[in-house]
Amino acid sequence: MMMTIRTSVLLLIGLQILAGNCLEEMISDDVAMIEMDGALNIALEGEESEFEGRKKREVLTDDNMNGENLEGDESDIHEREKRQVIRPPRPFPVYGSANLLNCGDRFYNPLYQYCCGERIYTRSVNDSCCCGTPYNSKTQICCKDKIYNRPAAGGRTSCCGSNLYDSRHGVCCDGQIRYVNTYGAACCGTNIYYYATQLCCNKRIQPRGSCRRCCGTTTYDYNTQICCNGYARPRGTNNACCGGTPYSTNRHICCNNKLILRVAGRAQSCCGTTVYDYTTQICCNNRVYARGTNNACCGRSLYNYNTQLCCRGRVIYKTTNSLACCGNSGYSYVRQICCGGVAYDKRNGNNRCCGYLAYNSNTHTCCNNFLVPIKPYQPLACCGLKTYNQFTSICCNNVVYSKYALNSCCGKTPYNYNTQLCCNRRVVTKGLSTSCCGNAPYNRGTHICCSGRVTPKTGDATSCCGTRPINYQTHLCCNNRVVPKPAPSSRCCCSTAFNYQTQICCGGKVYNKAQYDRCCYGSNRPYNSKTHLCCGGVTVYKGSSDRCCGSRSYNSKTQICCLNKVYTKGSNSRCCGARPYNPSTHVCCNNRLIASSTRKYCCNNALYDPNSQICCRGAVYSKSLYVCCAGFPVRYSGSNNRCCGTSTYNSVTHLCCNNRVVYKPSSSHTSCCGVIPYNYRTQVCCGGRVYTKGTRPARCCYGQRFYFTDTHQCCGFSVYLKSTYPSCCSGRPYRANQMCCQHRIFPKNLAYRCCGSLLYNPTTRVCCNNNIYVSSTTGCCANIPYLKRTHKCVNNKIVRLH
């Protein structure tokens, strides 16, 4: 006994020492990262430090929400802003089993550490692991077990097995690099094929013919044939496959590769290898049961979803109206929140899920299933396991960059879309180019891109057909072939063109409309709609018939079709399952006919009297005792006459606010502010708090901060004095002596104008599609730049000079 106690004590002391060492390493890492971020923030502020220093007077703090005394304590604001710049709060994890990960027999914090070869490393230069070797994922790439340096610029690197290659000049097929022209190329097994003219059929290359698709290793004509298990069969009236056998879904039903003849008048479906009537029966685990009080499947058993729950194959009885499934157990969705199969109490402020943890979204956010503390009312988003300000920064490949120099992401690389283009995740210089063609930039005013190839525009050929330019005024593109138009009203029929006003296309063949005017889809046969009907893929003689009933025709004026069976209409105008009935004398309930004289209606599978009963959640309840609230039956209590969530209340004396019943003030202009009632004519609801309007116009800033619109403005989740900052620039206020170009602020100069996020002098420069060019050599035509010495702009089109 003493030995057991001594061993337990020694183990406990060892765990405490290990935890102390880990925590000390994490704290030292936090201090180092905070100091590094502080230096980075000081460098990034630069030109905006003066603006940030002056901003303190205009911020509307929570201490002066009445909108009158907006100055506040200047020294306190200054010290608070100083701390925010020099010592920015860094996101830290919730140190628990959810945010610490295992590395061998130790725990590590993935925010600042990573595990490689069962050893823990601090994220500094290296940040990833390649088969037990640390490496820098920003400058290196790991291919299986080999590490390569990424090219400085111009390369698009990819892995092919353990080898590195440039995907602009080659394709990786089954671990082998093929150096070919990559435009329109793809892999077919270990070989290369060009999908504009070829098909890859089960690793075999076949020519791309007219109206052909792959069937096994060969091709077939999908208009006249059907492919079943890799073999082409004549289509006829067949439209589906049952194993390797083609069949018509109008005549047969396929159950586990077994064909069964359909019976007219029955609602049939498969249950294993047998057929059952789904209106009167139910199939559970390939066994057929009669529909009764149990009306659904739960694993291998039946249950009644009106009184029970099915939670991951486990049947649970409903003890309350607010019971729902959380994993394989029940929970109350009114009082609890379910995260990953675990129920948490909402009273602790938990209102969202992060993996299998519940958290308060006012104090934390969830980044990749890790909890990170946040400040309230800030436009934060996740970048890997960190948060960043969306107004001032961008996130590329889990790295945060300043938005003023780099404003978008190209795959994993940040770039400036004003001066650069992103072509297939590759950053290239813009110049006169306006678009990408595969990996290459081009000017869409003077050139055209067709299947990854850039060619000069010739004549009126402004579109593409495969790899060739085409003029759609005179030609059509049919199966990647350029075909002349036989008439202005032309369309494609597989690889040929036809005049759709005088001809039709059926099964890849052209017919004259004088003989046939429609196609019978299912058999792809033409027919004359004046003399025939197309019923289930079969053309039948029309006669006096005008509609189809399965594969038969019938006269809808004198007959009625019920489940593919024809009956004489008479007074019967509707169907109840497979039987016709008169809706003025009967009611259809679960394919049962009930006389209307009983004054009963259908509720799921049961009848009810609407004068004395209600139908709620598929079950019948007494109207004098219950009301249906949010789909749940709730028992009446006193004079309560309305629903509030899953309870009732008296609408004369109370309000329903966020599914919570609160006392109603005497005013008739009452609404809810969170769970607080208020008068919307004399008050304003902001951030769950109520403020008095007075005589001045007032609003709420992003639903959180109250302000008066005649003296203040809302900008970037904060409130500022209009007299100092009259305007807003992408969430940042600016003064009257400044100007805003997209998201950047400049000193105002009447001689300059904005071009995207840049300034330019219109007397010597021209702005075209947010880029600046020398006006003496470059022009702009419909937002596309062009060289004046070789082109001109005519009617918003760039034309080459002769």
Side-chain angles (χ1 to χ4, degrees):
M1 182 68 179
M2 291 299 294
M3 181 65 69
T4 304
I5 295 173
R6 187 178 295 112
T7 304
S8 302
V9 171
L10 289 174
L11 179 61
L12 180 60
I13 293 173
L15 289 174
Q16 288 176 341
I17 293 172
L18 177 61
N21 292 336
C22 291
L23 186 58
E24 184 177 352
E25 289 177 10
M26 289 182 220
I27 292 173
S28 64
D29 289 340
D30 282 3
V31 172
M33 296 300 286
I34 288 173
E35 289 177 354
M36 184 173 68
D37 278 7
L40 180 62
N41 273 280
I42 293 172
L44 290 177
E45 291 297 321
E47 59 182 320
E48 298 177 21
S49 59
E50 181 183 356
F51 162 76
E52 293 292 341
R54 291 195 302 263
K55 188 180 70 173
K56 57 185 176 293
R57 292 180 177 273
E58 286 73 35
V59 176
L60 181 61
T61 63
D62 289 334
D63 296 332
N64 44 37
M65 293 301 289
N66 56 4
E68 299 296 336
N69 183 15
L70 295 175
E71 293 299 325
D73 189 345
E74 182 174 332
S75 62
D76 180 61
I77 295 174
H78 179 73
E79 287 299 317
R80 187 161 61 247
E81 290 190 348
K82 184 178 179 182
R83 286 197 300 270
Q84 289 175 356
V85 172
I86 299 178
R87 287 285 185 270
R90 183 172 183 79
F92 59 87
V94 176
Y95 293 107
S97 59
N99 279 16
L100 293 183
L101 303 181
N102 286 89
C103 182
D105 57 352
R106 298 181 63 191
F107 290 102
Y108 73 98
N109 181 2
L111 286 173
Y112 313 124
Q113 298 169 312
Y114 67 100
C115 177
C116 190
E118 295 192 352
R119 291 185 61 188
I120 299 173
Y121 296 88
T122 301
R123 293 182 186 272
S124 54
V125 177
N126 297 326
D127 57 0
S128 299
C129 189
C130 181
C131 291
T133 304
Y135 76 101
N136 188 332
S137 62
K138 300 179 184 65
T139 60
Q140 296 172 310
I141 186 171
C142 174
C143 296
K144 277 195 174 178
D145 55 349
K146 293 184 180 180
I147 299 174
Y148 299 89
N149 290 326
R150 293 184 184 272
R156 186 182 170 201
T157 53
S158 298
C159 290
C160 186
S162 59
N163 297 313
L164 189 71
Y165 75 102
D166 191 335
S167 58
R168 296 174 300 167
H169 308 299
V171 178
C172 178
C173 297
D174 281 355
Q176 299 182 25
I177 302 173
R178 304 288 187 182
Y179 289 100
V180 294
N181 181 4
T182 59
Y183 295 128
C187 290
C188 186
T190 58
N191 299 313
I192 296 293
Y193 82 104
Y194 293 89
Y195 47 79
T197 58
Q198 296 171 313
L199 289 171
C200 178
C201 300
N202 200 16
K203 296 187 177 182
R204 289 190 61 179
I205 300 174
Q206 302 287 355
R208 185 185 289 274
S210 174
C211 300
R212 301 196 74 81
R213 294 174 182 165
C214 285
C215 183
T217 58
T218 61
T219 60
Y220 75 105
D221 188 333
Y222 56 80
N223 283 311
T224 60
Q225 296 173 304
I226 187 170
C227 178
C228 296
N229 279 4
Y231 294 96
R233 312 285 189 188
R235 180 177 287 275
T237 60
N238 301 319
N239 58 355
C241 293
C242 186
T245 306
Y247 75 102
S248 171
T249 55
N250 293 318
R251 298 178 181 177
H252 290 82
I253 185 169
C254 178
C255 298
N256 277 359
N257 293 333
K258 180 182 177 182
L259 280 176
I260 302 172
L261 188 67
R262 286 189 181 274
V263 179
R266 290 188 185 177
Q268 293 173 299
S269 188
C270 289
C271 185
T273 57
T274 61
V275 174
Y276 76 103
D277 188 336
Y278 57 81
T279 60
T280 58
Q281 296 170 310
I282 188 170
C283 173
C284 288
N285 199 33
N286 291 336
R287 292 184 62 183
V288 178
Y289 301 89
R291 282 189 184 269
T293 55
N294 294 328
N295 45 22
C297 296
C298 185
R300 295 172 177 262
S301 59
L302 296 175
Y303 79 107
N304 187 335
Y305 61 74
N306 296 313
T307 59
Q308 296 169 315
L309 288 174
C310 175
C311 299
R312 293 184 181 177
R314 182 181 168 205
V315 177
I316 300 172
Y317 281 92
K318 293 180 182 178
T319 55
T320 63
N321 293 327
S322 60
L323 195 69
C325 287
C326 184
N328 60 357
S329 304
Y331 84 108
S332 171
Y333 61 82
V334 175
R335 303 189 307 272
Q336 296 172 302
I337 183 172
C338 177
C339 299
V342 181
Y344 297 89
D345 200 330
K346 283 185 178 179
R347 288 179 296 181
N348 297 327
N350 299 321
N351 57 1
R352 290 188 185 176
C353 292
C354 184
Y356 58 86
L357 287 178
Y359 71 99
N360 188 334
S361 61
N362 293 320
T363 60
H364 289 76
T365 188
C366 180
C367 295
N368 290 344
N369 285 340
F370 283 85
L371 290 179
V372 181
I374 60 171
K375 289 183 178 181
Y377 318 135
Q378 287 195 353
L380 296 179
C382 288
C383 185
L385 299 178
K386 304 176 184 178
T387 57
Y388 72 101
N389 190 318
Q390 299 177 84
F391 283 147
T392 60
S393 306
I394 61 168
C395 174
C396 298
N397 194 29
N398 293 336
V399 179
V400 178
Y401 299 89
S402 172
K403 208 176 215 180
Y404 305 116
L406 304 165
N407 47 28
S408 190
C409 293
C410 182
K412 297 180 180 180
T413 307
Y415 77 105
N416 190 326
Y417 59 73
N418 293 312
T419 58
Q420 297 170 311
L421 285 173
C422 176
C423 298
N424 274 357
R425 298 192 174 186
R426 176 172 164 255
V427 178
V428 295
T429 304
K430 211 175 216 183
L432 292 177
S433 302
T434 58
S435 301
C436 293
C437 184
N439 297 327
Y442 78 103
N443 189 323
R444 56 187 171 86
T446 58
H447 291 72
I448 188 171
C449 172
C450 295
S451 295
R453 294 184 180 180
V454 178
T455 55
K457 283 185 177 179
T458 56
D460 294 325
T462 57
S463 299
C464 294
C465 180
T467 59
R468 298 176 59 189
I470 182 176
N471 181 358
Y472 276 106
Q473 300 293 327
T474 57
H475 290 74
L476 287 176
C477 180
C478 300
N479 274 4
N480 286 331
R481 290 180 56 192
V482 178
V483 182
K485 280 186 177 181
S489 53
S490 298
R491 291 176 183 165
C492 288
C493 183
C494 287
S495 298
T496 60
F498 74 102
N499 185 346
Y500 63 82
Q501 290 188 345
T502 59
Q503 298 170 311
I504 63 167
C505 173
C506 285
K509 295 181 180 179
V510 178
Y511 301 89
N512 288 325
K513 277 190 176 179
Q515 185 178 7
Y516 304 108
D517 60 347
R518 290 186 186 177
C519 290
C520 187
Y521 294 101
S523 63
N524 280 319
R525 294 178 180 176
Y527 72 99
N528 192 325
S529 61
K530 295 179 181 177
T531 58
H532 288 75
L533 287 172
C534 175
C535 298
V538 180
T539 54
V540 295
Y541 182 69
K542 199 172 190 178
S544 61
S545 302
D546 59 350
R547 290 186 185 175
C548 292
C549 184
S551 58
R552 298 175 55 190
S553 62
Y554 75 102
N555 190 329
S556 60
K557 294 181 179 178
T558 59
Q559 296 171 309
I560 187 171
C561 173
C562 296
L563 287 181
N564 295 335
K565 202 170 182 180
V566 179
Y567 299 90
T568 302
K569 188 180 263 187
S571 59
N572 300 323
S573 59
R574 292 184 186 174
C575 293
C576 185
R579 293 184 295 173
Y581 76 100
N582 187 344
S584 61
T585 59
H586 288 80
V587 173
C588 179
C589 185
N590 193 28
N591 290 334
R592 292 168 52 203
L593 287 175
I594 310 297
S596 299
S597 56
T598 60
R599 299 187 178 229
K600 292 185 177 181
Y601 292 90
C602 200
C603 179
N604 197 12
N605 295 327
L607 291 171
Y608 77 102
D609 186 350
N611 295 318
S612 59
Q613 297 169 310
I614 61 167
C615 176
C616 188
R617 211 171 179 80
V620 179
Y621 298 89
S622 172
K623 203 170 189 178
S624 60
L625 299 176
Y626 289 89
V627 63
C628 196
C629 293
F632 290 94
V634 181
R635 197 176 182 92
Y636 275 118
S637 176
S639 58
N640 295 344
N641 58 355
R642 288 193 184 177
C643 294
C644 184
T646 56
S647 60
T648 58
Y649 74 103
N650 188 334
S651 60
V652 177
T653 58
H654 290 76
L655 285 173
C656 177
C657 297
N658 281 358
N659 290 334
R660 187 171 162 189
V661 178
V662 296
Y663 179 72
K664 187 177 185 179
S666 57
S667 172
S668 59
H669 309 290
T670 306
S671 188
C672 293
C673 180
V675 294
I676 304 172
Y678 78 105
N679 187 327
Y680 57 81
R681 286 197 170 183
T682 60
Q683 295 172 311
V684 173
C685 173
C686 196
R689 296 172 63 183
V690 177
Y691 301 90
T692 303
K693 275 185 179 180
T695 58
R696 299 168 61 188
R699 284 186 184 175
C700 196
C701 182
Y702 285 97
Q704 300 297 336
R705 301 224 173 165
F706 174 78
Y707 71 102
F708 293 107
T709 57
D710 56 346
T711 56
H712 296 77
Q713 68 155 327
C714 173
C715 183
F717 291 87
S718 297
V719 177
Y720 301 89
L721 276 168
K722 279 186 177 179
S723 58
T724 308
Y725 295 106
S727 302
C728 192
C729 181
S730 296
R732 298 169 61 217
Y734 67 97
R735 298 175 180 272
N737 60 354
Q738 296 173 314
M739 59 191 301
C740 172
C741 295
Q742 282 188 353
H743 53 266
R744 298 185 65 186
I745 299 173
F746 299 94
K748 184 176 283 186
N749 191 329
L750 297 178
Y752 284 80
R753 296 180 186 173
C754 289
C755 181
S757 61
L758 304 172
L759 284 179
Y760 78 104
N761 190 335
T763 59
T764 59
R765 298 289 188 270
V766 63
C767 175
C768 194
N769 197 26
N770 291 339
N771 290 284
I772 300 171
Y773 304 92
V774 178
S775 58
S776 60
T777 59
T778 309
C780 190
C781 186
N783 268 340
I784 300 174
Y786 67 94
L787 289 175
K788 290 183 176 179
R789 59 183 175 83
T790 57
H791 292 78
K792 64 178 180 179
C793 183
V794 180
N795 293 331
N796 287 332
K797 288 185 179 181
I798 299 175
V799 181
R800 184 180 291 273
L801 293 173
H802 297 293

